[in-house]
Amino acid sequence: MTEPTHDETHGALGSRLNWLRAAVLGANDGIVSTAGLVVGVAGATDSRAALLTAGLAGLLAGSMSMAAGEYVSVSTQRDSEKAALAQERRELREQPAAELEELTQLLEERGLSREIAREAAEQLTERDALRAHARVELGIDPDELTNPWHAAWASFLAFTVGALLPLLAIVLPPVGLRLPVTVLSVLAALVLTGWTSARLGAAAPGRAVLRNAVGGALAMGVTYLAGTLLGAAGV
Protein backbone atom coordinates (compact mmCIF):
# COMPACT_ATOMS: atom_id res chain seq x y z
CA MET A 1 0.00 0.00 0.00
CA THR A 2 1.40 3.39 -1.00
CA GLU A 3 2.02 5.73 1.90
CA PRO A 4 0.91 9.37 1.47
CA THR A 5 3.69 11.86 0.92
CA HIS A 6 4.36 14.64 3.40
CA ASP A 7 2.87 17.24 1.02
CA GLU A 8 -0.28 15.17 0.51
CA THR A 9 -0.73 14.66 4.25
CA HIS A 10 -0.09 18.33 4.98
CA GLY A 11 -2.52 19.40 2.24
CA ALA A 12 -5.26 17.10 3.51
CA LEU A 13 -4.76 18.38 7.05
CA GLY A 14 -4.90 21.98 5.88
CA SER A 15 -8.12 21.30 3.98
CA ARG A 16 -9.72 19.69 7.04
CA LEU A 17 -8.66 22.57 9.25
CA ASN A 18 -10.19 25.07 6.82
CA TRP A 19 -13.49 23.19 6.85
CA LEU A 20 -13.45 22.95 10.64
CA ARG A 21 -12.69 26.63 11.00
CA ALA A 22 -15.52 27.52 8.59
CA ALA A 23 -17.91 25.29 10.55
CA VAL A 24 -16.94 26.90 13.86
CA LEU A 25 -17.35 30.40 12.43
CA GLY A 26 -20.72 29.45 10.90
CA ALA A 27 -21.93 28.13 14.25
CA ASN A 28 -20.65 31.30 15.92
CA ASP A 29 -22.64 33.45 13.49
CA GLY A 30 -25.74 31.39 14.19
CA ILE A 31 -25.32 31.81 17.95
CA VAL A 32 -24.75 35.58 17.89
CA SER A 33 -27.32 36.59 15.26
CA THR A 34 -30.12 34.42 16.66
CA ALA A 35 -29.33 35.36 20.25
CA GLY A 36 -29.47 39.04 19.36
CA LEU A 37 -32.78 38.53 17.58
CA VAL A 38 -34.59 36.56 20.30
CA VAL A 39 -33.22 38.67 23.15
CA GLY A 40 -34.40 41.77 21.34
CA VAL A 41 -37.88 40.31 20.94
CA ALA A 42 -37.80 39.24 24.60
CA GLY A 43 -37.25 42.89 25.53
CA ALA A 44 -40.55 43.76 23.87
CA THR A 45 -42.73 40.78 24.77
CA ASP A 46 -42.80 37.63 26.88
CA SER A 47 -44.95 35.76 24.37
CA ARG A 48 -43.41 32.32 23.75
CA ALA A 49 -45.12 32.17 20.34
CA ALA A 50 -43.58 35.48 19.29
CA LEU A 51 -40.14 34.38 20.48
CA LEU A 52 -40.40 31.04 18.71
CA THR A 53 -41.61 32.65 15.49
CA ALA A 54 -38.84 35.25 15.50
CA GLY A 55 -36.19 32.68 16.38
CA LEU A 56 -37.25 30.22 13.69
CA ALA A 57 -37.46 32.99 11.10
CA GLY A 58 -33.97 34.16 12.01
CA LEU A 59 -32.62 30.62 11.96
CA LEU A 60 -34.05 29.82 8.53
CA ALA A 61 -33.16 33.18 7.00
CA GLY A 62 -29.63 33.07 8.39
CA SER A 63 -28.90 29.47 7.45
CA MET A 64 -30.22 29.93 3.91
CA SER A 65 -28.27 33.17 3.53
CA MET A 66 -25.07 31.51 4.75
CA ALA A 67 -25.58 28.55 2.42
CA ALA A 68 -26.30 30.75 -0.59
CA GLY A 69 -23.32 32.97 0.15
CA GLU A 70 -20.96 30.00 0.48
CA TYR A 71 -22.32 28.41 -2.69
CA VAL A 72 -21.76 31.57 -4.73
CA SER A 73 -18.34 32.21 -3.21
CA VAL A 74 -17.03 28.67 -3.67
CA SER A 75 -18.56 28.41 -7.15
CA THR A 76 -16.59 31.49 -8.14
CA GLN A 77 -13.43 29.93 -6.69
CA ARG A 78 -14.10 26.66 -8.55
CA ASP A 79 -14.65 28.54 -11.83
CA SER A 80 -11.33 30.33 -11.29
CA GLU A 81 -9.57 27.01 -10.65
CA LYS A 82 -11.06 25.50 -13.80
CA ALA A 83 -10.04 28.52 -15.86
CA ALA A 84 -6.48 28.35 -14.50
CA LEU A 85 -6.25 24.64 -15.31
CA ALA A 86 -7.60 25.23 -18.83
CA GLN A 87 -4.98 27.93 -19.43
CA GLU A 88 -2.23 25.69 -18.08
CA ARG A 89 -3.38 22.84 -20.30
CA ARG A 90 -3.27 25.16 -23.33
CA GLU A 91 0.20 26.44 -22.47
CA LEU A 92 1.50 22.88 -22.05
CA ARG A 93 0.17 22.00 -25.47
CA GLU A 94 1.44 25.12 -27.26
CA GLN A 95 4.81 25.74 -25.54
CA PRO A 96 5.97 22.60 -23.68
CA ALA A 97 9.64 23.68 -23.55
CA ALA A 98 8.82 26.99 -21.89
CA GLU A 99 6.55 25.23 -19.41
CA LEU A 100 9.28 22.73 -18.56
CA GLU A 101 11.68 25.60 -17.89
CA GLU A 102 9.06 27.35 -15.77
CA LEU A 103 8.55 24.21 -13.67
CA THR A 104 12.30 23.89 -13.27
CA GLN A 105 12.58 27.44 -11.99
CA LEU A 106 9.70 26.94 -9.58
CA LEU A 107 11.41 23.89 -8.12
CA GLU A 108 14.67 25.85 -7.89
CA GLU A 109 12.85 28.49 -5.88
CA ARG A 110 11.91 25.76 -3.43
CA GLY A 111 15.55 25.09 -2.70
CA LEU A 112 16.62 22.48 -5.26
CA SER A 113 19.80 22.85 -7.27
CA ARG A 114 19.48 23.57 -10.97
CA GLU A 115 20.42 20.03 -11.98
CA ILE A 116 18.09 18.29 -9.54
CA ALA A 117 15.26 20.73 -10.28
CA ARG A 118 15.61 20.03 -14.01
CA GLU A 119 15.61 16.28 -13.50
CA ALA A 120 12.60 16.48 -11.17
CA ALA A 121 10.73 18.71 -13.62
CA GLU A 122 11.34 16.28 -16.46
CA GLN A 123 10.18 13.32 -14.41
CA LEU A 124 7.07 15.12 -13.19
CA THR A 125 6.27 16.24 -16.73
CA GLU A 126 6.60 12.71 -18.08
CA ARG A 127 4.34 11.36 -15.36
CA ASP A 128 1.60 14.04 -15.50
CA ALA A 129 2.53 17.49 -16.73
CA LEU A 130 -0.78 19.15 -15.91
CA ARG A 131 -0.86 17.80 -12.36
CA ALA A 132 2.74 18.88 -11.78
CA HIS A 133 2.10 22.45 -12.90
CA ALA A 134 -1.25 22.60 -11.12
CA ARG A 135 0.22 21.62 -7.78
CA VAL A 136 3.59 23.39 -7.97
CA GLU A 137 2.59 26.53 -9.85
CA LEU A 138 -1.08 26.99 -8.99
CA GLY A 139 -1.43 25.13 -5.70
CA ILE A 140 -4.41 23.19 -7.09
CA ASP A 141 -5.14 19.47 -7.09
CA PRO A 142 -7.05 18.78 -10.34
CA ASP A 143 -8.85 15.85 -8.71
CA GLU A 144 -9.96 17.79 -5.65
CA LEU A 145 -11.44 21.07 -6.81
CA THR A 146 -13.51 22.96 -4.27
CA ASN A 147 -17.13 21.78 -4.12
CA PRO A 148 -19.74 24.55 -3.70
CA TRP A 149 -22.44 22.13 -2.55
CA HIS A 150 -20.25 20.80 0.25
CA ALA A 151 -19.53 24.35 1.39
CA ALA A 152 -23.20 25.34 1.21
CA TRP A 153 -24.41 22.36 3.25
CA ALA A 154 -21.61 22.78 5.80
CA SER A 155 -22.51 26.44 6.33
CA PHE A 156 -26.23 25.67 6.51
CA LEU A 157 -25.76 22.97 9.14
CA ALA A 158 -23.20 24.92 11.18
CA PHE A 159 -25.39 28.02 11.34
CA THR A 160 -28.46 25.93 12.21
CA VAL A 161 -26.69 24.11 15.04
CA GLY A 162 -25.42 27.40 16.44
CA ALA A 163 -28.81 29.11 16.14
CA LEU A 164 -30.67 26.31 17.92
CA LEU A 165 -28.93 27.05 21.22
CA PRO A 166 -30.30 30.56 21.86
CA LEU A 167 -33.65 29.61 20.33
CA LEU A 168 -34.17 26.70 22.73
CA ALA A 169 -32.72 28.66 25.64
CA ILE A 170 -35.25 31.47 25.19
CA VAL A 171 -38.41 29.39 24.64
CA LEU A 172 -38.00 26.42 27.00
CA PRO A 173 -37.39 27.98 30.47
CA PRO A 174 -40.09 29.76 32.49
CA VAL A 175 -40.56 33.46 31.80
CA GLY A 176 -38.45 34.64 34.72
CA LEU A 177 -35.46 32.50 33.73
CA ARG A 178 -35.46 33.05 29.98
CA LEU A 179 -33.00 35.91 29.80
CA PRO A 180 -30.43 34.67 32.33
CA VAL A 181 -30.50 31.16 30.86
CA THR A 182 -30.13 32.50 27.33
CA VAL A 183 -27.35 34.95 28.18
CA LEU A 184 -25.34 32.39 30.14
CA SER A 185 -25.83 29.68 27.51
CA VAL A 186 -24.82 32.00 24.68
CA LEU A 187 -21.75 33.32 26.48
CA ALA A 188 -20.64 29.78 27.33
CA ALA A 189 -21.08 28.73 23.70
CA LEU A 190 -19.16 31.78 22.47
CA VAL A 191 -16.31 31.01 24.84
CA LEU A 192 -16.19 27.50 23.36
CA THR A 193 -16.29 28.64 19.72
CA GLY A 194 -13.72 31.36 20.38
CA TRP A 195 -11.38 28.88 22.03
CA THR A 196 -11.90 26.33 19.24
CA SER A 197 -11.30 28.80 16.41
CA ALA A 198 -8.13 30.04 18.10
CA ARG A 199 -6.79 26.51 18.60
CA LEU A 200 -7.53 25.62 14.96
CA GLY A 201 -5.59 28.69 13.90
CA ALA A 202 -2.74 27.89 16.32
CA ALA A 203 -3.32 31.21 18.11
CA ALA A 204 -3.55 32.09 21.78
CA PRO A 205 -7.17 31.54 22.84
CA GLY A 206 -7.44 34.38 25.37
CA ARG A 207 -8.08 37.23 22.94
CA ALA A 208 -10.35 35.18 20.68
CA VAL A 209 -12.48 34.11 23.65
CA LEU A 210 -12.68 37.68 24.96
CA ARG A 211 -13.62 39.10 21.53
CA ASN A 212 -16.31 36.47 21.10
CA ALA A 213 -17.83 36.91 24.53
CA VAL A 214 -17.75 40.72 24.48
CA GLY A 215 -19.16 40.86 20.96
CA GLY A 216 -22.00 38.49 21.81
CA ALA A 217 -22.80 40.32 25.06
CA LEU A 218 -22.82 43.66 23.23
CA ALA A 219 -25.13 42.31 20.52
CA MET A 220 -27.59 40.97 23.09
CA GLY A 221 -27.43 44.15 25.17
CA VAL A 222 -28.11 46.45 22.23
CA THR A 223 -30.99 44.39 20.84
CA TYR A 224 -32.54 43.92 24.28
CA LEU A 225 -32.42 47.66 24.87
CA ALA A 226 -33.98 48.31 21.48
CA GLY A 227 -36.72 45.74 22.10
CA THR A 228 -37.44 47.15 25.55
CA LEU A 229 -37.78 50.69 24.17
CA LEU A 230 -40.02 49.55 21.33
CA GLY A 231 -42.16 47.51 23.73
CA ALA A 232 -42.49 50.47 26.09
CA ALA A 233 -43.54 52.65 23.16
CA GLY A 234 -46.21 50.12 22.22
CA VAL A 235 -44.70 49.43 18.81
Side-chain angles (χ1 to χ4, degrees):
M1 182 176 180
T2 303
E3 294 293 330
T5 65
H6 175 75
D7 286 344
E8 289 170 341
T9 303
H10 179 75
L13 178 60
S15 177
R16 285 195 296 270
L17 288 177
N18 286 335
W19 279 107
L20 285 171
R21 191 176 296 113
V24 170
L25 293 176
N28 191 79
D29 286 344
I31 294 168
V32 174
S33 61
T34 307
L37 177 61
V38 296
V39 167
V41 175
T45 178
D46 60 3
S47 168
R48 180 176 274 109
L51 291 168
L52 182 60
T53 300
L56 284 175
L59 184 154
L60 292 173
S63 59
M64 293 299 294
S65 175
M66 287 284 291
E70 280 296 309
Y71 181 84
V72 170
S73 175
V74 176
S75 292
T76 301
Q77 180 182 344
R78 185 182 178 90
D79 291 342
S80 297
E81 291 173 345
K82 285 184 174 180
L85 289 173
Q87 179 178 349
E88 198 63 41
R89 190 178 291 110
R90 183 170 56 254
E91 291 175 350
L92 285 168
R93 184 176 61 252
E94 295 175 354
Q95 43 189 1
E99 288 299 295
L100 178 61
E101 176 60 25
E102 180 183 37
L103 183 58
T104 301
Q105 292 178 3
L106 289 170
L107 292 173
E108 279 189 271
E109 292 173 2
R110 295 192 172 192
L112 299 180
S113 66
R114 173 70 185 181
E115 294 75 15
I116 295 177
R118 184 70 177 190
E119 181 181 354
E122 290 173 350
Q123 291 184 14
L124 289 171
T125 299
E126 290 176 4
R127 180 181 301 176
D128 191 329
L130 179 61
R131 179 182 297 278
H133 281 267
R135 299 194 67 172
V136 176
E137 181 181 349
L138 305 175
I140 298 173
D141 187 338
D143 295 330
E144 295 185 9
L145 298 182
T146 52
N147 189 315
W149 284 109
H150 289 172
W153 277 111
S155 294
F156 178 88
L157 292 174
F159 187 96
T160 300
V161 169
L164 281 174
L165 174 68
L167 175 57
L168 294 176
I170 201 74
V171 299
L172 293 182
V175 175
L177 295 178
R178 285 176 184 170
L179 280 177
V181 168
T182 301
V183 170
L184 290 176
S185 300
V186 166
L187 291 179
L190 291 177
V191 167
L192 178 61
T193 56
W195 182 88
T196 304
S197 63
R199 298 304 297 170
L200 289 173
R207 290 185 178 180
V209 168
L210 183 62
R211 284 195 301 265
N212 248 21
V214 171
L218 183 61
M220 289 187 288
V222 170
T223 55
Y224 181 75
L225 177 61
T228 301
L229 292 175
L230 290 173
V235 177

